[in-house]
């Protein structure tokens, strides 16, 4: 296939690499030659590492020869059958790009966006035929992360969903279907349930952040503590994503701590200080004493995630199977939400939700859907 990737930043260059590795022709577009050259350097570096590890069937040169660099969006890309937009997370900018894509590409080309928080439906308003607009939410870094959330906007056609799904399988990624354009799609909804609850428990004085992180790591088996993960991905990123989701109707505890830390510049690993400190602004695994994990019931953290999964299934957002795949591949959970549910027991989960509702002074987000 001929695939256009718009934006050659953190995500775009990785998506272009993945698409080219799978044998497709790629147009990689950005606003300047310098940005494109730097993207190619990163792709070259990544391809050579994959090649050394024996993970490529072709030479890096052959794969690179399929990536054509394009400054701006012009006639050069007009035979692309699919485009994946990965420009910054600004609705107006994305709309401008989509409107230009509609002018340039064939009428049946699929127009996908890699947005992580904007509604697909609102981006689609920029084009006349909204049936061909869809979300393809890759995870960072796209070369290593298997998961792609395929998000259906209000007007996306079945045909667009099917073709996009098949394409994602062909580029050796694992798609899950998000059938409704809800804030946070599947993976971020589950994650934000846990993060906002963790924050609520700290702000209400029930546990400190180290206790929560010890519980997450040692009792739930998560790869990182919750606050450690927030530091890793950026306190500011978590603040902006959660605020945007709440603004768009995601009912969750508003974490003041994230706002205050963002304003103070305590952004986590990248600023050297967040919930923990990181010498030289580099991530180091946080030292968490095991005994702390006995100080809080793990149900307090995982019950809201299980409840969220139930809400999504009830509303037809995603299937149980896809939610399980999403948390395993998108968040590196050791098991799916349904495994946690089975192990912990429905009644206990419901009791934990009631308790969380009480602690949060009646937070609606703890209404049970089980
Ligand atoms: N970074 C992540 O971890 C991550 C993960 C999943 C999804 N996303 C989403 O992917 C998208 C891109 O994020 P990113 O982190 O790669 O951003 P980025 O800032 O690293 O890259 C964006 C690129 O788009 C280019 N650009 C801007 N306007 C353009 C235009 N009109 N035409 C072509 N290129 C243009 C910029 O020059 C830049 O190189 C966003 O929607 C973001 O929410 C990001």
């Amino acid at each position: 296939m001929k695939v256009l990737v718009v934006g050659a930043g953190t995500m775009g260059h990785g998506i272009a690499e993945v698409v080219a590795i799978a044998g497709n022709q790629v147009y990689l577009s950005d606003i300047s030659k310098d940005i494109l050259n730097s993207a190619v350097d990163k792709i070259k570096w990544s391809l050579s590492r994959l090649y050394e590890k024996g993970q490529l069937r072709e030479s890096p040169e052959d794969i690179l020869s399929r990536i054509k660099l394009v400054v701006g969006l012009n006639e050069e890309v007009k035979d692309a059958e699919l485009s994946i937009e990965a420009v910054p997370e600004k609705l107006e900018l994305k709309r401008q790009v989509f409107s230009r894509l509609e002018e340039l590409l064939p009428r049946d080309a699929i127009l996908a966006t890699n947005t992580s928080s904007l509604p697909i439906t609102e981006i689609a308003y920029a084009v006349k035929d909204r049936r061909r607009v869809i979300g393809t939410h890759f995870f960072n870094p796209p070369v290593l992360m298997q998961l792609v959330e395929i998000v259906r906007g209000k007007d996306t056609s079945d045909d667009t969903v099917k073709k996009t799904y098949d394409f994602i399988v062909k580029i050796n990624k694992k798609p899950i279907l998000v059938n409704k354009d809800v804030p946070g799609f599947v993976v971020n909804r589950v994650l934000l349930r846990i993060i906002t609850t963790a924050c609520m428990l700290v702000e209400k004085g029930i546990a400190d952040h180290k206790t929560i992180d010890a519980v997450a790591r040692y009792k739930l088996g998560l790869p990182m503590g919750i606050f450690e993960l927030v530091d890793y991905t950026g306190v500011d990123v978590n603040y902006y994503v959660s605020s945007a989701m709440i603004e768009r109707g995601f009912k969750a505890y508003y974490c003041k701590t994230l706002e205050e830390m963002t304003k103070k510049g305590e952004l986590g690993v990248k600023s050297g200080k967040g919930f923990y400190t990181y010498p030289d602004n580099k991530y180091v695994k946080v030292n968490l004493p095991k005994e702390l994990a006995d100080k809080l019931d793990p149900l307090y953290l995982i019950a809201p995630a299980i409840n969220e999964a139930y809400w999504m299934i009830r509303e037809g957002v995603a299937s149980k199977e896809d939610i399980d795949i999403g948390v395993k591949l998108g968040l590196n959970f050791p098991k799916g939400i349904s495994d946690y549910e089975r192990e912990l027991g429905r009644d206990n989960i419901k009791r934990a939700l009631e308790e969380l509702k009480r602690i949060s002074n009646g937070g609606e987000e703890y209404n049970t859907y089980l």
Side-chain angles (χ1 to χ4, degrees):
M1 264 180 101
K2 286 197 171 139
V3 180
L4 163 64
V5 178
V6 190
T10 307
M11 297 303 288
H13 87 270
I15 295 171
E17 180 180 344
V18 167
V19 174
I21 289 173
N24 302 284
Q25 297 289 334
V26 180
Y27 296 115
L28 180 57
S29 159
D30 208 301
I31 49 178
S32 82
K33 191 80 196 149
D34 283 352
I35 297 175
L36 287 168
N37 288 338
S38 134
V40 167
D41 287 344
K42 288 185 200 135
I43 296 173
K44 271 189 193 157
W45 178 84
S46 165
L47 286 174
S48 65
R49 293 209 46 189
L50 293 173
Y51 191 66
E52 280 160 21
K53 289 195 233 155
Q55 291 175 358
L56 296 179
R57 277 177 305 172
E58 293 174 284
S59 71
E61 293 73 34
D62 286 348
I63 293 167
L64 264 176
S65 72
R66 284 197 291 271
I67 303 180
K68 189 161 187 248
L69 305 180
V70 182
V71 178
L73 280 174
N74 55 52
E75 295 284 320
E76 274 178 272
V77 304
K78 70 172 196 280
D79 58 351
E81 296 150 87
L82 163 73
S83 72
I84 303 174
E85 164 276 310
V87 304
E89 194 73 339
K90 293 182 185 140
L91 184 59
E92 225 13 77
L93 174 63
K94 289 192 189 280
R95 281 187 174 158
Q96 279 165 21
V97 168
F98 271 72
S99 147
R100 182 75 182 127
L101 292 172
E102 185 175 49
E103 285 168 8
L104 285 171
L105 302 194
R107 271 204 258 151
D108 59 351
I110 290 173
L111 310 179
T113 170
N114 190 49
T115 183
S116 28
S117 60
L118 299 170
I120 312 305
T121 309
E122 286 186 30
I123 296 172
Y125 286 144
V127 302
K128 288 180 205 85
D129 183 1
R130 295 169 198 149
R131 292 172 304 175
R132 58 190 178 125
V133 178
I134 192 161
T136 46
H137 184 218
F138 287 76
F139 287 71
N140 189 16
V143 175
L144 300 181
M145 296 292 283
Q146 281 306 304
L147 188 70
V148 178
E149 288 179 304
I150 295 190
V151 189
R152 185 191 267 275
K154 190 161 79 56
D155 304 309
T156 311
S157 71
D158 290 345
D159 187 50
T160 301
V161 173
K162 186 179 179 320
K163 284 184 179 149
T164 308
Y165 192 97
D166 291 346
F167 170 75
I168 295 298
V169 171
K170 283 205 184 106
I171 60 168
N172 300 311
K173 295 288 158 193
K174 179 72 194 160
I176 62 169
L177 278 181
V178 185
N179 290 308
K180 285 195 182 161
D181 196 2
V182 291
F185 312 142
V186 165
V187 172
N188 274 337
R189 286 185 83 89
V190 172
L191 179 62
L192 264 298
R193 280 284 166 240
I194 301 180
I195 292 177
T196 52
T197 300
C199 176
M200 189 272 288
L201 291 169
V202 174
E203 289 186 0
K204 300 283 183 193
I206 304 295
D208 61 19
H209 66 275
K210 277 196 163 178
T211 299
I212 294 213
D213 280 6
V215 171
R217 211 194 270 164
Y218 303 123
K219 297 277 165 142
L220 297 173
L222 305 190
M224 279 188 195
I226 307 303
F227 293 103
E228 188 182 11
L229 177 67
V230 170
D231 274 355
Y232 184 79
T233 49
V235 173
D236 53 337
V237 173
N238 282 277
Y239 165 57
Y240 294 125
V241 170
S242 56
S243 310
M245 284 171 62
I246 289 171
E247 255 171 52
R248 291 185 190 279
F250 179 69
K251 289 196 177 63
Y253 180 82
Y254 182 80
C255 182
K256 286 183 216 69
T257 309
L258 290 180
E259 181 183 348
E260 284 159 14
M261 288 172 70
T262 300
K263 286 186 178 151
K264 276 196 274 180
E266 293 176 1
L267 309 179
V269 175
K270 62 187 167 191
S271 72
K273 186 174 178 348
F275 291 94
Y276 302 95
T277 48
Y278 304 89
D280 304 325
N281 301 2
K282 287 215 173 73
Y283 171 70
V284 272
K285 198 173 160 106
V286 174
N287 181 23
L288 296 166
K290 270 215 161 94
E291 55 277 12
L292 277 182
D294 294 325
K295 289 174 69 179
L296 183 80
D297 188 341
L299 270 165
Y300 280 3
L301 292 181
I302 200 73
I306 299 169
N307 199 33
E308 178 61 41
Y310 266 84
W311 180 85
M312 289 193 282
I313 295 163
R314 192 190 78 170
E315 295 295 313
V317 174
S319 69
K320 193 179 213 169
E321 294 70 29
D322 274 3
I323 297 171
D324 280 347
I325 293 169
V327 300
K328 284 193 219 164
L329 299 183
L331 302 173
N332 291 322
F333 276 23
K335 44 194 154 188
I337 292 289
S338 48
D339 300 312
Y340 283 114
E341 184 203 338
R342 221 173 300 117
E343 283 169 23
L344 297 166
R346 264 174 170 239
D347 290 343
N348 295 331
I349 296 163
K350 282 188 186 172
R351 263 198 297 278
L353 289 168
E354 276 163 27
E355 190 58 15
L356 288 166
K357 196 173 171 92
R358 190 190 59 76
I359 297 168
S360 64
N361 300 327
E364 263 184 81
E365 60 273 29
Y366 301 114
N367 290 348
T368 172
Y369 296 103
L370 271 81

